[in-house]
Amino acid sequence: MLTRIKLIPSLIVVAALIGIAVILTVFESEYLWKVQELNLFLDTKAFFWQQMVVPAGMLTWLGTFFTQFFYIPWLGTVMLCAWWALFVWVSARAFRIPWKWLTVLLIPVALLLISDVFLGYWLYYIKLRGYFFVATIGMTAAVSMVWLYRLITSKYSLRTVFIVLATVCAYPLLGVYGLLATVLMAVISWRLNKKLVSKGIDTVVAILCIVAVPLLYYRYVFYQTNIDYLLRAGWPEFSFGKEYSLYYIPFYLLLIWAVVATACYAPRNRCAEVRRPILWGTLQCLLLAAVVYATYTFWYKDGNFHKELRMQQAMEQCNWEGVLAEEKLQDDEPTRAIVMLRNLALSRLGRQGDEMYHYRVGSKKPTAPFPVKMIQVAGKSIYYNYGQINFCYRWCLEDGVEYGWRTEYLKYLAKCALVNGENQTARKYLEILKHTLFHRGWAEQQEKLVGNPDELRKDKDYAPVLHMMGYQDQLTSDRAILEQYLYTEMVRIETNDPILQEQTLIGALWSKDIMTFWPRFFKYMELHPGQRIPTHYQEAAYLYESLEHHVDINAIPIDDVVKQTYANFMTRVQQSGGAPESILKERMYPEFGHTFYYEYFLNRDQELY
């Protein structure tokens, strides 16, 4: 009976880790995919030594190594949970936690999990490489060093010597987690040594090491590092002009837990007998409930964020129907990134003119306490697919310098070079990607297109982009407002390419400027003789002629249903009795939300970012 009871805490921990793995794989696969896209690990010596020129270099190298396995979500998740299992095992032995309270170790595991899944849009801005694994590996290493310190004999001041050696060796490899290990060794020394002098010596030595070791490394080794970074190397930074302290809470709680667990260490074996099973079981249940509740509460659950990720993932696979399938499930007001990705998918499928307003339009801001720009969320892919190659290239370079080089950036840099015919540049980026584990195949496939323009024009990814490049691409300033810049530039383009020209007409509809619309509309008719004009273009033409009477509408083939819908729309407006626009917008949407009439009159407050 006692043996079976002893197994319960271990089984609970194992079940919790398995549950976490399943939940991450099933519900966060697109998030994990994006995590590895915004990661870069190369199997080269140069990459390794680039990490090692700053403190915590080994930690970030290992973090990026394991993060790449999220390319296969279940595999990366299993590795992450395996690290947590190792952390639990090491912690149980380092702090001699009784088996009956083994579930207490789910608290730091939950904090590590929260630190990964509460990021949200910080995913695009986090600068710490290998972030997803860094805290887990760092905490495991720190606790392991405390365990080793405890196992060393106290004779001949070996523990004191170990504090010095461990700090000297661990700081350049682990950064702040190496210093944390030093702090924990100082704390546990008060639980191990019987002599007050020994305790005091170890504490003083630990303090001196924490102060002196980083400064010595800064003076003689890491002289390229900012001195403000010395004591927080390996620590994430959540700042956008100001610090967003909420995001540091899981990390602070991890540090507090480590210190408390160390301070509660008991040199002698504690009684493992469960004397009051009911009380013990109740406390176990309360602990588990608190851990689950806290994890669920801080888990980032914004639907638009995950929808953007799924749409981008489908777009990378040229699965345009998959992009629209995600949009059809839209319940909440969409962000502008969702609207832009959906319109891009419709344009690739040749259905934008008939279906553009059949989906919900909105401008909900990303759910984040800091300013989020669409340019960081989906800007590179949108610029690339609309043929704005220089802007895609520019933002890849700028963000690469600001946030560190990532697989996604290198892919788009290679694509931009390919469509620009810059073969040597394309080979350079593809050679770098060939040193990755999971993107090597993609790079080798793209390499076959280098110097082969005929095959490039046949490729399902590159062919549409080449159509969009039928104008002079120049680099000016977009003020980081992608949508406004893109459509403003589109309407200025003079082209005879039907695909590109239709986008100039879309830009004219977006501008809602009548004088801009007509030249683009008649050019569209010229390039599509005898073809039916898409519904939304008819609606715009019929509305603008009705408003200003500058064009003979009888010369334009307008469907009867378009005319009747306009008449019904205007009748409903007249019957509204001067209702406020907000109320009118809600009333009219079910019947007319799919028309350009509704877009023109009632969707004029879309906020861009």
Side-chain angles (χ1 to χ4, degrees):
M1 180 67 179
L2 182 60
T3 303
R4 287 199 296 270
I5 293 178
K6 284 185 175 181
L7 287 175
I8 292 176
S10 299
L11 292 176
I12 291 174
V13 172
V14 171
L17 293 175
I18 293 175
I20 290 171
V22 171
I23 292 171
L24 285 174
T25 303
V26 173
F27 297 104
E28 297 288 350
S29 60
E30 68 279 355
Y31 178 58
L32 301 178
W33 167 80
K34 194 64 174 183
V35 166
Q36 64 82 31
E37 284 288 303
L38 298 179
N39 177 69
L40 180 66
F41 179 85
L42 304 177
D43 60 359
T44 64
K45 292 182 179 179
F47 179 80
F48 174 78
W49 289 113
Q50 283 173 357
Q51 312 307 308
M52 300 304 292
V53 298
V54 294
M58 178 59 73
L59 200 56
T60 57
W61 185 83
L62 288 172
T64 55
F65 171 78
F66 285 103
T67 300
Q68 69 179 327
F69 289 96
F70 284 129
Y71 183 85
I72 305 174
W74 69 264
L75 180 58
T77 301
V78 167
M79 289 185 172
L80 183 60
C81 290
W83 268 106
W84 288 337
L86 177 61
F87 171 74
V88 169
W89 183 79
V90 170
S91 298
R93 276 145 186 80
F95 304 128
R96 301 184 73 172
I97 296 176
W99 61 264
K100 63 181 179 181
W101 292 116
L102 193 64
T103 49
V104 170
L105 293 174
L106 288 177
I107 295 175
V109 170
L111 292 172
L112 290 168
L113 173 61
I114 290 170
S115 71
D116 285 340
V117 297
F118 82 144
L119 280 180
Y121 286 94
W122 268 117
L123 177 65
Y124 298 99
Y125 299 94
I126 199 74
K127 294 183 180 181
L128 179 61
R129 298 179 180 182
Y131 170 90
F132 243 66
F133 278 87
V134 161
T136 296
I137 298 173
M139 289 296 295
T140 304
V143 173
S144 299
M145 291 167 63
V146 175
W147 187 17
L148 185 57
Y149 169 85
R150 182 173 66 79
L151 295 177
I152 294 175
T153 179
S154 59
K155 295 180 180 180
Y156 314 115
S157 301
L158 289 181
R159 284 177 175 167
T160 306
V161 173
F162 179 78
I163 290 177
V164 177
L165 293 178
T167 308
V168 170
C169 295
Y171 173 73
L173 302 178
L174 305 176
V176 67
Y177 296 97
L179 300 180
L180 172 63
T182 305
V183 172
L184 298 182
M185 286 186 282
V187 173
I188 205 170
S189 68
W190 289 86
R191 307 292 294 173
L192 293 173
N193 296 314
K194 295 181 179 180
K195 295 181 180 180
L196 181 62
V197 174
S198 299
K199 298 176 183 180
I201 290 175
D202 282 4
T203 302
V204 170
V205 168
I207 294 172
L208 290 176
C209 286
I210 292 172
V211 174
V213 170
L215 290 175
L216 289 173
Y217 272 108
Y218 173 72
R219 176 65 177 84
Y220 295 104
V221 181
F222 300 130
Y223 49 85
Q224 298 181 20
T225 302
N226 191 315
I227 194 170
D228 295 334
Y229 181 72
L230 288 180
L231 295 180
R232 51 188 178 89
W235 190 259
E237 181 180 351
F238 299 103
S239 63
F240 250 132
K242 67 174 184 178
E243 293 285 339
Y244 291 88
S245 303
L246 176 66
Y247 291 88
Y248 292 104
I249 290 178
F251 300 95
Y252 290 143
L253 292 178
L254 272 173
L255 300 184
I256 293 172
W257 174 88
V259 173
V260 171
T262 307
C264 292
Y265 170 81
R268 297 180 181 179
N269 288 328
R270 297 164 178 168
C271 181
E273 182 182 352
V274 179
R275 297 178 179 177
R276 298 179 180 178
I278 296 177
L279 177 60
W280 173 78
T282 303
L283 292 175
Q284 296 283 316
C285 292
L286 291 174
L287 173 63
L288 291 174
V291 168
V292 171
Y293 176 77
T295 304
Y296 177 79
T297 301
F298 289 99
W299 199 302
Y300 192 77
K301 299 180 285 289
D302 180 54
N304 280 338
F305 172 73
H306 288 84
K307 191 171 294 294
E308 289 170 359
L309 294 178
R310 288 192 292 270
M311 294 174 80
Q312 290 181 64
Q313 188 174 18
M315 185 180 67
E316 288 300 309
Q317 301 165 356
C318 291
N319 180 13
W320 302 110
E321 288 289 359
V323 175
L324 294 181
E326 286 297 329
E327 171 64 6
K328 290 177 182 178
L329 300 175
Q330 184 71 36
D331 296 324
D332 194 10
E333 179 187 357
T335 62
R336 294 309 295 173
I338 290 176
V339 174
M340 289 290 289
L341 291 171
R342 170 242 296 163
N343 286 340
L344 176 59
L346 287 171
S347 71
R348 286 290 189 268
L349 296 170
R351 291 153 43 187
Q352 193 168 3
D354 283 314
E355 300 180 21
M356 184 166 50
Y357 303 122
H358 286 204
Y359 299 86
R360 186 169 182 177
V361 178
S363 59
K364 185 176 181 179
K365 285 188 175 182
T367 306
F370 51 91
V372 177
K373 294 288 187 179
M374 192 199 307
I375 200 71
Q376 258 79 42
V377 175
K380 301 169 189 67
S381 57
I382 291 175
Y383 270 139
Y384 167 77
N385 281 285
Y386 278 105
Q388 292 281 348
I389 302 304
N390 280 347
F391 271 99
C392 177
Y393 201 92
R394 167 212 167 174
W395 281 106
C396 285
L397 288 176
E398 287 195 11
D399 285 354
V401 172
E402 179 70 18
Y403 304 109
W405 295 106
R406 302 171 175 184
T407 301
E408 180 181 272
Y409 302 167
L410 293 174
K411 281 185 175 181
Y412 277 108
L413 288 170
K415 286 182 177 182
C416 290
L418 270 172
V419 296
N420 268 342
E422 300 165 351
N423 296 330
Q424 288 299 108
T425 304
R427 286 194 180 94
K428 178 182 71 174
Y429 294 122
L430 293 174
E431 280 297 323
I432 296 174
L433 287 168
K434 284 164 69 175
H435 287 283
T436 63
L437 179 59
F438 294 105
H439 303 282
R440 182 183 296 118
W442 182 89
E444 291 172 347
Q445 184 180 7
Q446 307 309 304
E447 202 170 35
K448 298 175 183 177
L449 301 175
V450 177
N452 196 343
D454 292 335
E455 290 299 319
L456 203 66
R457 283 190 288 269
K458 298 177 184 177
D459 188 88
K460 64 178 181 179
D461 182 359
Y462 296 105
V465 176
L466 291 171
H467 274 287
M468 300 297 293
M469 293 174 62
Y471 60 94
Q472 183 179 0
D473 190 12
Q474 56 186 350
L475 188 59
T476 55
S477 174
D478 59 1
R479 296 183 298 123
I481 305 178
L482 182 153
E483 185 176 358
Q484 183 180 57
Y485 173 82
L486 184 63
Y487 285 127
T488 301
E489 289 299 307
M490 282 290 180
V491 297
R492 300 175 182 174
I493 298 172
E494 298 291 343
T495 179
N496 290 317
D497 185 302
I499 296 177
L500 176 57
Q501 197 280 328
E502 184 171 6
Q503 289 306 310
T504 71
L505 178 55
I506 296 294
L509 262 66
W510 179 89
S511 70
K512 299 178 182 177
D513 182 75
I514 298 177
M515 300 309 296
T516 301
F517 168 79
W518 287 118
R520 300 301 169 218
F521 178 75
F522 287 123
K523 184 68 174 181
Y524 178 88
M525 293 183 63
E526 176 188 329
L527 295 176
H528 298 81
Q531 298 182 23
R532 176 186 172 275
I533 301 172
T535 301
H536 297 320
Y537 307 157
Q538 291 186 45
E539 291 171 343
Y542 194 72
L543 170 63
Y544 288 159
E545 193 281 332
S546 300
L547 293 176
E548 297 199 352
H549 307 289
H550 286 168
V551 175
D552 182 8
I553 199 64
N554 294 321
I556 302 173
I558 303 294
D559 296 343
D560 290 338
V561 66
V562 171
K563 299 177 182 178
Q564 186 60 48
T565 302
Y566 176 72
N568 294 341
F569 180 87
M570 298 308 295
T571 299
R572 288 288 301 277
V573 171
Q574 293 170 4
Q575 294 174 348
S576 66
E581 184 175 312
S582 59
I583 296 178
L584 190 62
K585 188 174 182 178
E586 183 177 349
R587 288 177 181 174
M588 301 279 282
Y589 184 81
E591 185 177 357
F592 302 102
H594 63 285
T595 67
F596 179 73
Y597 312 133
Y598 184 92
E599 173 71 16
Y600 182 81
F601 287 109
L602 299 175
N603 261 346
R604 289 182 168 271
D605 57 350
Q606 303 300 311
E607 185 175 355
L608 308 181
Y609 57 89

